[in-house]
Amino acid sequence: GGERVCLKRLIQVARSPRHVISYSFQLAADYEKNERVAAASILRALTKQFPFNYGVIQEASNFYRRLGYADESLGVLRYAVARGRGRYRRDFERRLAARLLELNRVDESRRVLESLQREDPLDLGVFNELAHVYVRAADSAALKTAFGKTVEALKGLDADPREMREQVAELRRSLISAFTELRDY
């Protein structure tokens, strides 16, 4: 009890946002074991106070997941996707897709990743995640289409032909196990 009182007071008097965030997460971790609702309340207040802080959003989403609040975890990530810009938005979209896949919401995850691939077909990380989703959905036709788009984007680059062939070969090698799982030989 004394530790909680101390942390609450430290949150009130802290001058640095970094300290407020740190103490808030420590307090939420203390509540995590026995009082999940109180921990979630602290996370809600923290994300409301720091809605644009990358670390707060990322850690709050993970914390909600550990607490068993899947919808709140997704809500934090969706909010971050709506507000994020550039690389941060893409990173939150990838996290959202991964969390949706964890929750076995394959269709939603697929939509998020497909929109990311439409934006940048050269992002091989997104392509690999999308390939994993297509395998889970047992959709080899969509995997072939996505592969074709990625190869076309690679060929459209003004790069050394040897380097391009190596990238395409590496991409094909990575798909062997995916197509094997789909029984598409």
Side-chain angles (χ1 to χ4, degrees):
E3 184 178 338
R4 289 180 182 174
V5 171
C6 181
L7 285 170
K8 287 177 185 176
R9 182 67 182 143
L10 284 170
I11 292 168
Q12 291 173 348
V13 299
R15 294 184 182 182
S16 165
R18 182 183 304 164
H19 290 119
V20 171
I21 292 167
S22 174
Y23 298 142
S24 296
F25 278 124
Q26 287 177 31
L27 185 60
D30 193 50
Y31 280 120
E32 178 181 13
K33 299 170 190 95
N34 301 323
E35 301 173 43
R36 293 177 39 224
V37 175
S41 174
I42 292 167
L43 294 175
R44 233 180 327 301
L46 191 60
T47 54
K48 187 176 182 181
Q49 186 176 0
F50 300 101
F52 300 109
N53 186 302
Y54 180 84
V56 168
I57 292 170
Q58 180 179 343
E59 187 58 34
S61 175
N62 292 337
F63 214 115
Y64 276 127
R65 188 185 90 231
R66 285 195 315 266
L67 289 172
Y69 293 115
D71 290 333
E72 286 81 356
S73 174
L74 293 173
V76 168
L77 289 173
R78 284 187 174 118
Y79 177 81
V81 166
R83 297 275 193 214
R85 300 281 181 254
R87 180 178 69 86
Y88 296 109
R89 182 189 57 80
R90 289 184 62 83
D91 185 46
F92 284 126
E93 278 187 294
R94 287 179 72 176
R95 288 178 188 279
L96 175 63
R99 187 69 41 86
L100 287 166
L101 196 57
E102 262 180 37
L103 296 170
N104 206 24
R105 297 181 185 180
V106 178
D107 291 335
E108 292 176 68
S109 178
R110 179 179 177 163
R111 281 192 295 274
V112 171
L113 289 170
E114 284 174 341
S115 73
L116 282 171
Q117 193 201 25
R118 274 191 301 275
E119 285 177 20
D120 183 11
L122 292 173
D123 189 340
L124 299 181
V126 169
F127 175 76
N128 288 330
E129 291 171 23
L130 189 57
H132 182 68
V133 168
Y134 287 145
V135 169
R136 291 259 314 252
D139 192 351
S140 65
L143 181 55
K144 288 176 187 175
T145 303
F147 175 72
K149 288 178 185 176
T150 302
V151 168
E152 282 300 313
L154 282 171
K155 288 181 179 178
L157 289 176
D158 188 27
D160 180 36
R162 270 192 258 169
E163 187 178 313
M164 185 180 51
R165 276 194 304 270
E166 181 58 38
Q167 284 181 332
V168 171
E170 182 63 35
L171 195 58
R172 285 184 174 153
R173 278 192 290 273
S174 70
L175 288 180
I176 291 172
S177 63
F179 281 116
T180 304
E181 278 187 60
L182 291 170
R183 299 189 196 296
D184 187 346
Y185 307 107

